[in-house]
């Protein structure tokens, strides 16, 4: 960690520079931070950074805070995306649960609800991917996050149309492929995340510094991050922003069913599990449907049998329609830390306040 740089920090505060330097230097080498270290957090000695923050992610997206709301299925419509963008973060419309005409409607409504930057998350395995990409181009979307597929497939097409492209990865191997494909940034998503997941099962704590050390483009951390202190930890490890999914599922603007939201804020650690690994690994909440899947797997169910059990519309049934027992409830491990359903703007404000507090007092003292 001796040579790790922290591009998320911009200040002339000597105290803060010493804190960051100490976090990355062995005890025997503690000293006044070198002027070469990229730690220039604020233009004054005031440790409040609200409104003065700037790094590669905020500049890339033209946003106030490096907080991205994930484009989750059955949760991330125009109401949520516009609310997050209006609050200074980056809101994403989740196209994975939308037909092309529905996506177009959400984009147009989002344009009417905010004049701030927003984007669209496009799962590359979506059957109507061509239509979704074309709609993003026609509607002049400026930011597209891609996931669940090869970044080379669409990155060049999107960039030829002036679109910023960010790809979600679960390993440094695919981070490098994304960089080679021309992506502008990467989301390094640990397996704590809800929904579809990487097969590597690498935690965010390990994945983020590994990916940050492998690529030159900015890295956004994701997976189990729901608080400002977790955000600070991710950025100390080399990330330049965070993407939060579970935290925003429990926002008032999320289109998720209220029964699903209430189940999330009552969850404890261990209430989610990564399953369906024979198909596509997915983290979901434990319920009757999960128990049915577990029993089927223990009996040696084939891929075809698991696909039959999964059926169609299982995620919609649980997350959007509110069938808490028979539905697929995709949510991350961070749900164990969530206890309130709040407006999206309050979530952004709360996360940033926690980030500031953690930055001012990074280490618990006796």
């Amino acid at each position: 960690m001796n040579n790790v740089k922290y591009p998320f920090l911009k200040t002339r505060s000597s105290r803060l520079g010493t804190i960051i330097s100490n976090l990355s230097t062995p005890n025997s080498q503690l000293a006044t931070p070198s002027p070469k270290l990229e730690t220039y957090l604020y233009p004054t000695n005031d440790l409040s950074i609200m409104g003065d923050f700037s790094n590669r992610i905020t500049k890339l997206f033209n946003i106030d805070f490096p907080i991205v709301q994930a484009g989750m299925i059955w949760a991330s419509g125009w109401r949520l995306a516009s609310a997050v963008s209006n609050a200074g973060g980056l809101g994403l419309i989740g196209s994975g649960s939308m037909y092309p005409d529905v996506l177009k409607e959400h984009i147009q409504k989002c344009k009417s609800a905010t004049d701030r930057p927003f984007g669209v998350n496009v799962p590359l395995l979506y059957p109507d991917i061509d239509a979704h990409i074309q709609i993003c181009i026609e509607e002049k979307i400026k930011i597209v996050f891609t996931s669940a597929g090869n970044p080379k497939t669409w990155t060049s097409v999107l960039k030829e149309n002036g679109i910023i492209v960010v790809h979600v990865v679960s390993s440094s191997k695919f981070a490098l492929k994304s960089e080679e494909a021309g992506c502008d940034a990467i989301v390094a998503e640990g397996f704590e995340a809800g929904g579809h997941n990487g097969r590597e099962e690498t935690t965010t704590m390990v994945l983020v510094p590994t990916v940050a050390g492998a690529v030159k483009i900015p890295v956004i951390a994701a997976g189990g991050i729901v608080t400002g202190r977790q955000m600070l930890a991710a950025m100390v490890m080399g990330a330049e922003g965070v993407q939060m999914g579970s935290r925003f599922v429990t926002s008032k603007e999320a289109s998720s069913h209220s029964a699903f939201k209430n189940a999330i804020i009552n969850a404890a650690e261990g209430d989610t599990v990564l399953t369906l690994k024979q198909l596509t690994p997915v983290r979901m909440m434990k319920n009757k449907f999960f128990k049915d899947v577990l029993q089927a797997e223990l009996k040696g169910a084939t891929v075809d049998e698991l696909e039959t059990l999964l059926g169609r519309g299982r995620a919609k049934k649980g997350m959007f329609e509110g069938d808490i027992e028979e539905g697929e409830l995709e949510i991350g491990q961070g749900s164990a830390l969530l206890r309130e359903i709040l407006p999206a703007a309050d979530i952004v404000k709360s996360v940033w306040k926690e980030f500031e507090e953690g930055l001012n007092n990074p280490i618990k003292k006796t």
Side-chain angles (χ1 to χ4, degrees):
M1 293 289 288
N2 295 1
N3 297 319
V4 173
K5 294 183 179 180
Y6 300 98
F8 72 98
L9 299 174
K10 290 190 174 248
T11 190
R12 292 182 300 191
S13 166
S14 59
R15 174 191 167 207
L16 201 45
T18 301
I19 290 173
I20 299 303
S21 179
N22 289 356
L23 288 175
S24 60
T25 307
N27 290 336
S28 61
Q29 300 177 19
L30 293 183
T32 302
S34 165
K36 294 182 180 180
L37 187 63
E38 294 183 40
T39 55
Y40 42 169
L41 270 171
Y42 330 111
T44 70
N45 286 333
D46 181 3
L47 292 186
S48 173
I49 57 179
M50 195 67 137
D52 291 329
F53 192 89
S54 177
N55 70 359
R56 289 197 293 175
I57 288 298
T58 59
K59 290 176 181 177
L60 179 65
F61 301 141
N62 190 26
I63 56 178
D64 297 328
F65 314 116
I67 299 172
V68 179
Q69 161 252 309
M72 305 155 289
I73 61 171
W74 305 116
S76 305
W78 69 270
R79 288 185 178 85
L80 177 55
S82 62
V84 172
S85 290
N86 283 332
L90 180 68
L92 296 180
I93 294 172
S95 72
S97 52
M98 298 178 181
Y99 291 114
D101 59 328
V102 175
L103 172 60
K104 187 171 185 176
E105 179 184 354
H106 276 262
I107 290 173
Q108 292 174 348
K109 287 184 175 180
C110 201
K111 288 178 180 178
S112 297
T114 183
D115 59 0
R116 302 299 303 273
F118 71 93
V120 175
N121 181 76
V122 182
L124 298 177
L125 295 179
Y126 186 80
D128 285 331
I129 180 66
D130 296 54
H132 275 195
I133 295 292
Q134 190 58 39
I135 286 171
C136 289
I137 293 171
E138 290 174 356
E139 291 295 324
K140 302 188 184 305
I141 290 297
K142 297 300 182 183
I143 304 166
V144 168
F145 280 49
T146 57
S147 58
N150 187 342
K152 291 184 178 180
T153 308
W154 290 103
T155 297
S156 60
V157 173
L158 292 168
K159 290 185 69 66
E160 285 169 6
N161 285 274
I163 297 173
I164 294 167
V165 181
V166 182
H167 193 65
V168 182
V169 303
S170 59
S171 69
S172 55
K173 173 184 175 181
F174 285 103
L176 286 166
K177 288 182 179 294
S178 300
E179 186 173 52
E180 292 168 3
C183 291
D184 298 285
I186 291 166
V187 175
E189 184 178 77
F191 96 126
E192 298 96 325
H196 294 294
N197 232 300
R199 296 186 180 278
E200 297 85 358
E201 298 191 16
T202 306
T203 65
T204 302
M205 183 71 78
V206 173
L207 181 65
V208 170
T210 303
V211 170
V215 299
K216 294 181 176 63
I217 57 177
V219 174
I220 300 167
I225 301 171
V226 298
T227 72
R229 282 187 172 271
Q230 289 175 301
M231 176 180 176
L232 176 60
M235 293 176 78
V236 168
M237 290 190 295
E240 297 182 49
V242 294
Q243 175 175 280
M244 297 183 172
S246 298
R247 183 72 191 256
F248 286 106
V249 173
T250 55
S251 67
K252 290 187 176 180
E253 293 87 350
S255 54
S256 321
H257 196 280
S258 58
F260 180 39
K261 294 180 184 181
N262 286 326
I264 295 168
I265 63 174
N266 284 290
E269 64 268 31
D271 282 351
T272 71
V273 64
L274 195 66
T275 187
L276 289 172
K277 297 178 185 179
Q278 286 180 260
L279 304 179
T280 301
V282 59
R283 182 172 296 283
M284 66 176 74
M285 192 172 287
K286 294 177 180 177
N287 63 353
K288 181 181 179 300
F289 170 62
F290 162 71
K291 292 177 182 176
D292 291 342
V293 170
L294 180 61
Q295 288 301 314
E297 290 177 332
L298 290 174
K299 293 178 181 178
T302 64
V303 169
D304 288 343
E305 289 171 336
L306 288 174
E307 287 179 341
T308 299
L309 175 60
L310 180 60
R312 291 181 60 84
R314 184 74 74 164
K316 180 181 180 181
K317 177 183 287 188
M319 300 162 67
F320 190 68
E321 297 176 350
D323 190 333
I324 300 303
E325 289 304 318
E326 294 292 344
E328 180 180 325
L329 306 177
E330 298 181 9
I331 202 70
Q333 290 185 338
S335 55
L337 297 171
L338 301 175
R339 291 295 174 262
E340 292 182 282
I341 298 170
L342 299 170
D346 288 357
I347 292 174
V348 173
K349 186 183 300 183
S350 172
V351 168
W352 196 250
K353 181 181 179 182
E354 292 165 357
F355 175 86
E356 286 186 300
E357 291 171 346
L359 191 57
N360 290 338
N361 298 285
I363 300 172
K364 183 178 289 188
K365 300 176 182 178
T366 56

